[in-house]
Amino acid sequence: MAKLGAGVCITATRANDHSEGMTTTSVCSVSDAPPTLLVYLNQMSSTFQADLQSEF
């Protein structure tokens, strides 16, 4: 995560054969092994709803 650029990250998910993505500014590293990020999403966003339906 040392090379994670500051500012904006792109987050994406796939649910029901449909992809959703958004730019996020609230991202932090949780661990290196396995690589894990913590991302805050607005509950009103379509990406949040897709994340709830995703398989991951």
Side-chain angles (χ1 to χ4, degrees), residues 6-52:
V8 177
C9 293
I10 306 296
T11 58
T13 190
R14 185 172 180 86
N16 302 324
D17 294 327
H18 181 73
S19 297
E20 290 282 343
M22 65 187 299
T23 57
T24 56
T25 55
S26 297
V27 177
C28 81
S29 174
V30 175
S31 72
D32 286 333
T36 305
L37 294 175
L38 175 64
V39 179
Y40 293 91
L41 298 174
N42 184 329
Q43 292 181 354
M44 301 302 290
S45 74
S46 58
T47 303
F48 178 79
Q49 297 303 319
D51 278 337
L52 292 178

